[in-house]
Amino acid sequence: MAEKTELISELKKWCRGEGLSEAHGLLVIVPEDVEIAHIEETLGTIKCLGRVHVMERIFNLELNRLMVLCECKNALTAESVPSEVHLPEGGEAWSLVIIDRASDADESFYTKLKLLMQAEGKTMEDIKALLPGAQKSTSTADSVIQAFGDLLEKTNRNSSEGGYRNLRIFSGTQPVPAGEGQFDHWLEQAWLMVEESEYMAKEKKRRVMESLKGPALEIAKAVQTSDPDANTTEYLEALESAFGTAESGDDLYFAFRLMQQQIW
């Protein structure tokens, strides 16, 4: 038998094609020989549906049954609509399928949650780690919401403490390429990240290196080569010495390389 999710998907497409509100759309699975009048009369006995009007029927080969699209006067909810209707005369029960708006909302929430986690570079393990020793929640959804709330609070706090989470790209080339900022602004944000963030030293160094390219990256690599244990402060001081003047970044870069050759 087709999965319920597939039937819901079919109902959504059917409602859209017929211009029917999803809140009033009902999909009924019945034997092939059932007449429209019998369908409307039987479903009309279910008070939560209100008056029922059959809009269209189509035979499903996989189910070997008719799929019947109905319009109900009342808005439908999963709490009120039964999953099946049993006929007074006996025989096979008819399956009822609706579009549960609450489920759609939950799905939308988890989709947004997943996208936001990806954007923040977080995993479900990161979220679970935010609640060490916390009391067990009544449901998995409650646990996720509680943990993610803590994650957002921590993320927003870091962002409000200077906006150093993502350093802009800096290359040191002149004129300044599109998408890059001035060195003074980059350096200010980098110092803020180094001095005030809670990142480990290794993470600070990684973020600085990832924000550099061109001559600026070569200078940072030269510092790394000359002293593998150099900390982030030494990287920034070298960059400030090279680019913190009115001279051309390219000129300073080549001067820096020449100085290194003389030393080595």
Side-chain angles (χ1 to χ4, degrees), residues 111-123 148 151-152 155 165-166 207:
T111 298
K112 292 177 181 178
L113 172 63
K114 183 177 179 181
L115 291 174
L116 187 53
M117 287 171 58
Q118 291 174 347
E120 294 294 333
K122 302 294 182 181
T123 65
F148 199 69
L151 172 62
L152 287 178
T155 299
R165 205 151 35 99
N166 293 312
R207 286 174 178 266

Side-chain angles (χ1 to χ4, degrees), residues 166-184:
N166 293 312
L167 294 174
R168 296 190 66 177
I169 296 297
F170 175 70
S171 66
T173 58
Q174 294 291 334
V176 178
E180 291 188 25
Q182 294 294 329
F183 174 68
D184 289 346

